[in-house]
Amino acid sequence: MFELQNILRENIKNLIPYSSARNEFNGEASVFLDANENSFGSPLTENYNRYPDPLQTAIKQKLSLIKGVPVKNIFLGNGSDEAIDILFRAFCRPGMDNVITVPPTYGMYEVSANINDVENRKVKLTAAFQLDMERIAETIDENTRIIFICSPNNPTGNSIDRNDIQTLLANFNGIVVVDEAYINYSRQKTFIQELTEFANLVVLQTLSKAWGLAGLRVGMAFASEEIIEVFNKVNAPYNISQASQQLVLRALENIDQVNEWIKQTVQERENLTLQLSLLDFVQNIYPSDANFLLVKTSDPVFIYQALVKQGIIVRNRSTVELCEGCLRITVGTPEENEILIHAMKSLNWR
Ligand code: PMP
């Protein structure tokens, strides 16, 4: 049985969190002399002299309506990368505990593990880029705290089998993170609705992809109230700036625009797939549920460099295990995709 208290580090259990001025008083008042801010103002037309809402309640209320999740089940981080780091700091004892990642996958799980001196046990995906359930089961031991699943997966683009994720959630006594950074482009449905069923589920999403706000650095974690309380205890005070909070609130009004971009991106993904498949050095285009394509070519380094010379940057993933020969190409606007295809067609093939 999953029991949060069994995996929460002792120092976090006993932690008295920092109590900010805005934690201690957040009502209406006319004279705020409690936070050592500059009372005169800020050298900008907008006023940024006051600390922002540490819990970003206004944003969470809007997200709650959009996502169908209560405010108490939402954490906002400085990118979802902050949520990943907090998971390590709260649940993994350095030099003792371990996590499982399933490469090829998003690189920050491993970097965060290394920063926090936590062993990363890698269980390679199968050739079909799915979970190797048997090897995961063999790899789990009494110190395994977190399993990171990215679905749709970066860099392979596919969604991970839902039943396999459910099997892990039902049987693993640690936390299962389902990173849904690319969920808006997927045919699969989100795991957010499973939060009521699984106390050990943490779903990560982000405003950096479909919402078009990578520059604001705002990521979301959805989890049980108990886990969200841990996030709020461990995070840096005021982790989302006032500027970001204001801009996110405005952006969340434009859901129609975002949905339109998602539709266009999916259309362009299919179009790009078709165009790329006509090139003779393209050997495979893996089916994608994301806003990028993993493309196997006969000479990735040559193609990568030839594109760079024309001012077009894709990601060379050819040194990543199971991605030999592969470039990862983000779906651009129709104009950008046309430029890419034109450049690829013109490559002086050897
Ligand atoms: N998860 C995945 C799978 C990603 O690909 C990325 C960004 N490339 C992130 C998380 C990080 O997102 P954020 O900008 O919210 O930190």
Side-chain angles (χ1 to χ4, degrees):
M1 256 286 283
F2 172 76
E3 185 50 68
L4 190 76
Q5 294 306 315
N6 291 347
I7 62 164
L8 190 58
R9 289 172 62 189
E10 269 319 293
N11 59 317
I12 304 300
K13 246 184 240 174
N14 301 327
L15 180 72
I16 299 169
Y18 177 69
S19 179
S20 67
R22 284 290 82 79
N23 284 132
E24 288 179 17
F25 182 88
N26 67 4
E28 291 294 315
S30 52
V31 182
F32 279 100
L33 301 175
D34 59 347
N36 299 347
E37 297 143 335
N38 180 343
S39 301
F40 293 89
S42 53
L44 292 166
T45 45
E46 310 82 12
N47 267 337
Y48 290 116
N49 57 321
R50 300 296 180 186
Y51 283 104
D53 174 1
L55 289 171
Q56 311 96 19
T57 308
I59 298 177
K60 286 177 186 168
Q61 280 167 346
K62 275 202 177 153
L63 280 174
S64 167
L65 295 175
I66 293 171
K67 302 284 177 186
V69 180
V71 167
K72 64 180 193 305
N73 298 109
I74 307 175
F75 169 80
L76 296 182
N78 187 349
S80 28
D81 290 337
E82 183 185 3
I84 294 167
D85 184 61
I86 291 177
L87 285 164
F88 279 98
R89 286 192 285 141
F91 297 109
C92 304
R93 291 165 299 179
M96 283 180 76
D97 291 331
N98 66 75
V99 300
I100 293 178
T101 62
V102 288
T105 192
Y106 180 48
M108 271 313 284
Y109 315 136
E110 169 149 51
V111 174
S112 255
N114 290 339
I115 290 170
N116 289 286
D117 191 19
V118 170
E119 184 193 352
N120 177 24
R121 297 188 170 178
K122 298 184 209 176
V123 179
K124 232 176 23 173
L125 292 175
T126 64
F129 299 145
Q130 289 298 329
L131 300 179
D132 185 337
M133 294 297 279
E134 247 171 66
R135 282 218 42 229
I136 291 175
E138 284 162 19
T139 306
I140 293 169
D141 70 11
E142 70 280 6
N143 289 336
T144 306
R145 293 290 181 258
I146 310 174
I147 302 176
F148 287 92
I149 310 291
C150 184
S151 183
N153 187 38
N154 176 9
T156 58
N158 63 300
S159 294
I160 302 297
D161 189 293
R162 201 177 175 83
N163 290 330
D164 284 350
I165 299 177
Q166 265 164 345
T167 302
L168 292 177
L169 282 163
N171 295 293
F172 175 52
N173 288 335
I175 287 176
V176 178
V177 174
V178 182
D179 185 343
E180 296 186 338
Y182 300 98
I183 191 69
N184 304 78
Y185 305 106
S186 175
R187 285 157 275 224
Q188 300 293 318
K189 65 178 205 281
T190 169
F191 262 87
I192 284 186
Q193 266 66 52
E194 316 303 318
L195 285 174
T196 44
E197 189 166 341
F198 299 109
N200 57 344
L201 170 63
V202 174
V203 178
L204 300 180
Q205 292 187 4
T206 180
L207 298 183
S208 299
K209 310 294 174 187
W211 278 93
L213 297 170
L216 296 187
R217 309 300 304 123
V218 180
M220 306 165 261
F222 303 93
S224 72
E225 191 175 358
E226 222 185 344
I227 293 179
I228 296 298
E229 276 168 12
V230 172
F231 273 104
N232 288 333
K233 221 170 149 180
V234 176
N235 75 333
Y238 310 116
N239 61 336
I240 311 286
S241 78
Q242 177 68 7
S244 286
Q245 291 196 37
Q246 284 169 341
L247 292 169
V248 166
L249 272 176
R250 274 173 48 202
L252 293 178
E253 297 294 331
N254 291 331
I255 194 160
D256 291 342
Q257 169 71 83
V258 171
N259 284 332
E260 182 53 35
W261 281 330
I262 293 167
K263 236 173 40 200
Q264 276 181 276
T265 305
V266 169
Q267 244 166 37
E268 280 302 306
R269 180 179 74 201
E270 305 317 320
N271 180 40
L272 200 54
T273 305
L274 180 69
Q275 298 293 324
L276 288 167
S277 68
L278 302 175
L279 302 171
D280 55 5
F281 51 82
V282 168
Q283 297 174 334
N284 195 5
I285 304 161
Y286 294 92
S288 172
D289 261 349
N291 66 339
F292 57 83
L293 292 170
L294 189 70
V295 182
K296 195 178 180 76
T297 66
S298 46
D299 194 345
V301 176
F302 172 78
I303 297 165
Y304 174 81
Q305 284 167 348
L307 290 175
V308 169
K309 277 193 201 131
Q310 301 196 50
I312 301 167
I313 315 301
V314 298
R315 198 89 192 262
N316 178 7
R317 298 281 82 185
S318 61
T319 56
V320 174
E321 205 177 1
L322 291 183
C323 298
E324 293 80 8
C326 287
L327 300 172
R328 194 194 69 190
I329 303 176
T330 305
V331 176
T333 62
E335 295 74 30
E336 288 172 328
N337 299 333
E338 212 176 294
I339 293 169
L340 171 81
I341 291 297
H342 182 75
M344 281 183 128
K345 276 185 183 161
S346 73
L347 287 187
N348 187 9
W349 196 241
R350 299 165 293 167

